Structure formats: structure tokens, C-alpha cells
Amino acid sequence: MVDLSSIEQIEDESALNKMLNEATEFDERRAIRKRLLELKELKSKQRAKEMEEREKRMQKEIEERKQRKEDEKKQEVQRLEELAKTSTADRFENEAGKKRQEFIKEKYQAAEEEKKKNMENFEKMAKENKNEESEKNSKTNAPTSLSSSKIQKPTMNSAQSKNSSACAFALFQNKDKEAGGTGKGTMTQTAPASPNSPQTIKDNLLKWCQQRTEGYPNVNIQNFSSSWADGMAFCALIHSAVPETFDFSKLNPKNRKGNFNLAFKVAEDKCDISPLLEVEDMLMMGNKPDWKCVFTYVQSIYRKLELEPKARAAKNNEN
């Protein structure tokens, strides 16, 4: 016989199973099985309740995280709105703004000095080239005999003219580098009568940029100032050399800071082009950056992408 007087208070299934094994009467076994079923149902309800409470806690945590993110976003928007309300003049009142202005001023002065140095090199090279041409013409124009009825004037075919311009340009590049300069533009078959003038070299460099970026959307290079204000021209110029580094089609002209960061970083990391421009400087100069700063940086890009590869190729051909 099994004592069933306190069976309703038993909550241990193992104890009930032991009693079930010892019971011999049908009524006893039925009462024990009934109690086992009650315990299973009770535990099942407890588990369901625990799961429900756990889900509620998780949902509450998710809502709290979501709310925190929304609050943080609102705070950031408010901060940016307050910053936008602050005028540029007010921001420059603090010490950091003054230092930035001084930094930009120093860069402008350095660009002016480099421009002056380049102008002196241009004038010196043009004068030397003019003297060489004069000596050459005087020798060529000398009469071959006193009995000649006409004096034959020398003529230069297209190949000779092209070689003369190329030599003059190579001479300029060497002298400019020795003077601490960077080298200028490219010579073309359609070069004007004065191929060594500063304006011609500036125009040739502009044409080179236009050729490299032809077909790129949102890029229209017409000068060395406003055409570069949104950073797209820099990105196109670098992308033309290393197109595998980023997807140009995903760039947005409105994201000026992102475009400058991308172009300057890829230029330095992949093309070994020194970062002569600062992103913050370009942003603060607005829609019309100083053309001398842009021109100087584009010169360094031209040297790395055009002059140095040609020099290496020529050296390999000689070997």
C-alpha cells in the first residue's frame, strides 16, 4: 500500500515516479498518474509565462535602444543647426580658427613664391631659347656664294619644329626641378607660337586635365578654381589612373568633404602624390578656391601620372 494522503503536496516528479513503481492497486496508480499530469501542466504554464516575460523584456530593451538612437540623432541635428547658425566670422574668433587662417595664408604665400619662381624660369628659358634660335638662323641664312642672285632662307619641316619645342620643354623641366619647382604642362602639335609662355603651359595643363576626365559625369574642367570646388574633378583625375580603387558612379557632387578626402587619400596611397592641399582649406575656400593652390597640386598630379611614366619608358627603351 502507498500513502496517498499528502499526494497533492508532492511537486517532485521523481518522487511520484518512485511511488508509481511501488503502487500495486489500480486506484493508487491512477491517482499518482493524475498528479504527474497536473505537475507537467503546471510546469508547462510556468515555462510559457517565463518565455512571455522574457520576450516582453527583450522588446522593451529594443524600444529603449531605438529611443536612445533617436534622441542622439535629434541632439546631433540640433548641434549641426546651431553650428550652421554661427557665422564664419564668429567661428574664426576662437584660437583654432585664427590658426587655420594663418595656415591658409602661409599656403597662399608659398604658392605666390612658387609662381614667381616659375615665371623667372619661364623668362630665362625663353630668352635662352630665343638666343639659340637666332644663332641658328644667322648661320643658316649666310649666303653660299657672292654670285648668288637670291639668298636662300632656311625652312624647318614639322619634325624639326616639333623636336625644337620638345627640347625647349625638356630643358625647362630640368631647370625648374633644379630650382625647386615642379615642371609644367605638356607640349602638343597645336601649340601656339610661344610654347614656353606661362599662359601656354597653364592652358596645356588644363587641356590635359580635360582629356583625362572626358566622359566623367558632373565633371567640367574650365579653369583651376570653381571647376574643382566640389572635389569631383580631383576624383575623376585620380580615378582615370587607378579606376579599380573606387566606384566613381557612386560619388555625389554635394558631398564635397567626402570627395576631397577620397581623392587626396587615394592620390597619396596609390599614386604617391603628396597631399599639398588640405580638405578643410578647400571647404573653407568655398565655390572659388584659390587657383594657385589648385594649379600647384594639379602640377604634382601631372608629374606623377604623365611625366614620370614617360621618363621611365624612355629609360627602358634606351636600355
Side-chain angles (χ1 to χ4, degrees):
M1 293 289 291
V2 177
D3 183 13
L4 302 178
S5 59
S6 59
I7 193 171
E8 297 296 333
Q9 283 74 39
I10 300 176
E11 296 182 356
D12 187 356
E13 290 188 20
S14 59
L16 289 172
N17 286 324
K18 184 178 179 182
M19 291 173 61
L20 183 63
N21 292 332
E22 295 175 354
T24 56
E25 297 292 333
F26 176 76
D27 293 336
E28 292 175 348
R29 296 175 66 84
R30 183 175 63 181
I32 295 172
R33 287 195 184 96
K34 180 181 177 182
R35 181 56 182 165
L36 282 170
L37 289 173
E38 290 175 352
L39 281 179
K40 289 180 179 179
E41 290 178 0
L42 181 62
K43 290 183 177 180
S44 177
K45 289 180 180 179
Q46 289 177 345
R47 283 195 298 270
K49 185 177 180 181
E50 291 174 355
M51 289 180 64
E52 183 179 357
E53 291 176 352
R54 186 163 57 249
E55 289 178 358
K56 287 181 179 180
R57 288 196 300 270
M58 291 177 64
Q59 186 64 30
K60 184 178 179 181
E61 291 176 359
I62 293 173
E63 292 294 333
E64 289 177 350
R65 285 199 298 269
K66 184 178 179 181
Q67 186 62 41
R68 283 197 299 271
K69 288 183 179 180
E70 290 180 355
D71 293 341
E72 291 173 357
K73 185 177 180 180
K74 288 180 180 179
Q75 292 176 358
E76 180 66 14
V77 171
Q78 291 176 354
R79 187 185 70 81
L80 293 175
E81 288 177 348
E82 290 296 328
L83 184 62
K85 292 178 182 178
T86 305
S87 65
T88 303
D90 292 337
R91 290 200 299 272
F92 281 153
E93 288 297 325
N94 58 51
E95 190 65 25
K98 291 179 180 179
K99 289 183 179 179
R100 174 61 63 182
Q101 281 186 318
E102 293 174 358
F103 179 74
I104 294 175
K105 185 177 179 181
E106 290 175 359
K107 281 204 166 187
Y108 288 166
Q109 291 176 349
E112 282 290 345
E113 292 175 0
E114 183 172 359
K115 179 185 174 183
K116 183 178 179 181
K117 187 188 297 182
N118 289 337
M119 294 303 103
E120 293 175 354
N121 288 332
F122 292 157
E123 293 174 359
K124 183 178 179 181
M125 190 201 68
K127 189 179 293 184
E128 291 177 355
N129 189 48
K130 183 177 180 180
N131 292 336
E132 291 176 1
E133 291 294 333
S134 298
E135 292 177 2
K136 185 176 180 180
N137 290 339
S138 62
K139 291 179 181 179
T140 308
N141 288 334
T144 56
S145 69
L146 295 174
S147 61
S148 300
S149 59
K150 293 184 180 180
I151 297 177
Q152 300 294 326
K153 294 184 179 181
T155 59
M156 294 179 67
N157 57 33
S158 60
Q160 290 173 329
S161 177
K162 183 177 179 181
N163 289 336
S164 177
S165 298
C167 292
F169 189 61
L171 178 62
F172 158 73
Q173 290 175 341
N174 291 333
K175 291 190 175 185
D176 186 46
K177 288 178 180 178
E178 292 173 0
T182 58
K184 304 289 179 183
T186 59
M187 301 297 293
T188 65
Q189 292 182 351
T190 58
S194 181
N196 301 315
S197 68
Q199 185 60 43
T200 299
I201 291 180
K202 181 181 175 183
D203 291 341
N204 285 337
L205 183 60
L206 188 67
K207 290 178 182 178
W208 177 79
C209 295
Q210 292 169 343
Q211 293 171 356
R212 293 285 298 210
T213 60
E214 184 178 3
Y216 279 86
N218 299 312
V219 176
N220 183 20
I221 300 177
Q222 299 297 326
N223 52 54
F224 286 106
S225 182
S226 58
S227 297
W228 306 79
D230 59 7
M232 295 293 287
F234 289 114
C235 290
L237 201 57
I238 299 302
H239 186 269
S240 68
V242 284
E244 72 283 356
T245 54
F246 60 92
D247 188 353
F248 186 88
S249 63
K250 294 182 178 180
L251 302 184
N252 186 348
K254 295 181 180 180
N255 185 15
R256 297 175 62 223
K257 184 175 182 179
N259 296 337
F260 290 133
N261 273 322
L262 177 64
F264 298 164
K265 180 173 177 54
V266 174
E268 183 177 13
D269 294 345
K270 300 297 182 181
C271 303
D272 194 26
I273 299 172
S274 300
L276 303 180
L277 291 179
E278 295 288 342
V279 174
E280 295 300 326
D281 296 347
M282 292 299 295
L283 292 176
M284 280 191 287
M285 284 188 280
N287 294 327
K288 289 186 178 181
D290 188 280
W291 74 268
K292 297 182 290 297
C293 295
V294 175
F295 181 72
T296 302
Y297 183 55
V298 174
Q299 281 181 304
S300 64
I301 297 176
Y302 169 77
R303 186 172 65 253
K304 283 292 182 181
L305 302 188
E306 190 77 14
L307 293 184
E308 291 187 4
K310 286 184 178 180
R312 287 194 296 268
K315 187 175 182 181
N316 292 335
N317 290 336
E318 290 177 359
N319 297 334

